[in-house]
Amino acid sequence: MTPALTQIVEVPQVLDRCRGLVRPALRAAVDRLHPWVGEMAAYSFGWCEVGGASAAASGGKGVRQALAVLGAEAVGAPARAGVPAAVAVELLHTFSLVHDDIMDGDTARRGRATAWKAYGTGPAVLAGDALFALAVETLADTGHGPAAVRLTARALGDLVRGQADDLLFAERPWAGPGRVRPAEYRAMAEHKTGALLGCALGLGALLGGAPAAAVDALDRAGRHVGIAFQVVDDVLGIWGDPAVTGKPVHADLRERKKTYPVLVALDAPGLAQLLETGDRPAEAAALIEEAGGRTAAVTEARRHLDAAQASLDEVPLETAALHELRRLLDFLVRRDL
C-alpha cells in the first residue's frame, strides 16, 4: 500500500522501501546463474568479494528499482507488480556498467576494482552477457512478456546508440564544423542515460496494467530526467566538491571530456586551444564559467526536469505515488546545484 499523501516521505525512505521490496527477488534471480558467473554478478552488485565472501560494499542507491516500483504504484497497482520490472532494469543497468568499464578501461567503481579488473576481461564480458539474458528471461516470465521485452529492446537499442555516440565524441575536434554540438549531446544523454530511466518507469507502469498513454508518458518523464541527470553530472564533474563527487575538482577537464558546459561555451576565445591540451584545467574552468557554460548547463537541467514533471501531468496517476515520484525526480536533478 502506498503511503498517505499527508505523510511526508523523504527520498531516502522511498529508496529504502523499494530496495527492500526488490532485493530478495533480485538475489533470487542472480542465484539462478552458473555459480562462477553468479559470483561475478554478485561482485558487480557489491554483495561479495572475489571468491564469494560477503561484502559490505555499497550496491548503489537503487534509483532505477525505485522508479520501476513507483511506476507501478503511480498507475494504481500494488508495489509488487513493479518488482519484476525493477529486477530486470537493475540487471540491465549492471550489465551496462560491467561492459562500460571494459570499454572505458576504468579500473575502479565505488571504491573497489571493477569486474574486469578483478576477474579478467573475458569473464567480465561473460558476466555482463549473463545479466542481460537474465533480464530478458525475467520480463518474458511476466504476464506482459512480449510488450515488456519490446519496450526494453527499444531502451537497450537507444542505450547502445548513446554509448556509441559518446565514444565517437572523444575523437571529434574541439573546433570547426566537426565539433560536437549541444543538440547532439542532448540526444546522446537521452539515449545513454535517459533510456534506462524511462524504461524503468514505463516497465513498472506496463506490468501494473497501465494503458499505452500512461506507459509512454512515464517513459518520456524518465528520458527527460536522464538528460537533466547527465547535465548535472557534467557540472559536478568540473565544479563539484570532491568530498561529494569522489573525483578531484576539474576532473572532467583533465580527462578532456566533451560535456555540456564545455560544448555551450566553445565559442569563447582561446577555450578550444586550452581544452586541446588539457593541462590548465583551472584556467579552462574559469573561462567556461565566464562564457556562461555553467549557467547554461544548470538552466538546461532544470528545463528537462520541468519537462519530466510536465509529462507526469499528461495522464491520471495515483496521488501518493505521484508525490513520491516527483520528489525522487527532483532529488536526482538538484544534487548540490
Side-chain angles (χ1 to χ4, degrees):
M1 180 178 296
T2 54
L5 183 58
T6 53
Q7 178 184 351
I8 297 176
V9 181
E10 298 296 334
V11 168
Q13 292 176 272
V14 174
L15 294 173
D16 285 346
R17 175 175 71 86
C18 294
R19 276 197 306 267
L21 287 167
V22 175
R23 188 182 300 113
L26 182 59
R27 284 186 174 270
V30 171
D31 284 345
R32 299 202 301 271
L33 295 173
H34 180 284
W36 181 48
V37 176
E39 179 193 313
M40 289 187 283
Y43 176 88
S44 299
F45 281 113
W47 302 339
C48 75
E49 303 293 353
V50 175
S54 294
S58 168
K61 294 183 177 67
V63 167
R64 290 158 190 83
Q65 300 175 39
L67 290 174
V69 171
L70 291 175
E73 291 181 324
V75 299
R80 65 177 179 275
V83 168
V87 169
V89 171
E90 195 67 12
L91 291 169
L92 291 171
H93 176 55
T94 304
F95 142 74
S96 72
L97 295 181
V98 170
H99 282 194
D100 280 359
D101 287 338
I102 295 169
M103 286 185 285
D104 296 341
D106 290 338
T107 59
R109 180 176 290 277
R110 298 186 185 125
R112 62 183 193 152
T114 50
W116 74 267
K117 188 67 175 176
Y119 289 91
T121 301
V125 170
L126 182 64
D129 292 346
L131 290 166
F132 173 84
L134 188 58
V136 175
E137 178 187 341
T138 299
L139 294 174
D141 287 343
T142 69
H144 300 270
V149 171
R150 280 195 299 272
L151 176 60
T152 304
R154 176 190 171 219
L156 284 173
D158 283 347
L159 189 153
V160 170
R161 182 187 298 271
Q163 182 68 23
D165 283 340
D166 195 30
L167 290 172
L168 289 170
F169 285 175
E171 306 302 319
R172 290 171 60 178
W174 289 105
R179 81 187 201 192
V180 180
R181 304 291 175 172
E184 295 178 282
Y185 184 90
R186 282 191 290 270
M188 181 279 293
E190 178 189 338
H191 293 146
K192 183 179 177 182
T193 306
L196 210 51
L197 295 179
C199 183
L201 273 172
L203 271 180
L206 177 64
L207 299 192
V215 174
D216 290 345
L218 288 169
D219 189 344
R220 281 196 304 278
R223 285 170 177 264
H224 277 297
V225 86
I227 298 172
F229 183 91
Q230 185 62 58
V231 172
V232 170
D233 257 9
D234 292 346
V235 173
L236 297 178
I238 298 176
W239 296 285
D241 181 352
V244 175
T245 65
K247 299 190 296 185
V249 68
H250 307 148
D252 283 359
L253 294 177
R254 288 188 176 90
E255 296 175 21
R256 302 174 67 248
K257 289 185 177 180
K258 294 182 174 72
T259 60
Y260 193 85
V262 173
L263 297 177
V264 297
L266 274 177
D267 288 332
L271 179 58
Q273 291 84 351
L274 271 178
L275 295 168
E276 188 65 44
T277 62
D279 57 0
R280 289 144 66 194
E283 188 176 339
L287 193 52
I288 293 165
E289 186 155 17
E290 181 182 332
R294 182 174 186 171
T295 298
V298 171
T299 299
E300 181 74 4
R302 288 174 175 160
R303 182 172 75 83
H304 282 284
L305 176 60
D306 289 345
Q309 301 287 12
S311 294
L312 300 179
D313 292 332
E314 295 177 9
V315 290
L317 297 173
E318 199 276 333
T319 304
L322 177 59
H323 177 68
E324 291 189 352
L325 181 54
R326 289 190 189 281
R327 288 176 65 84
L328 177 57
L329 297 186
D330 190 75
F331 168 81
L332 290 176
V333 175
R334 297 188 186 278
R335 299 163 293 154
D336 301 307
L337 282 183

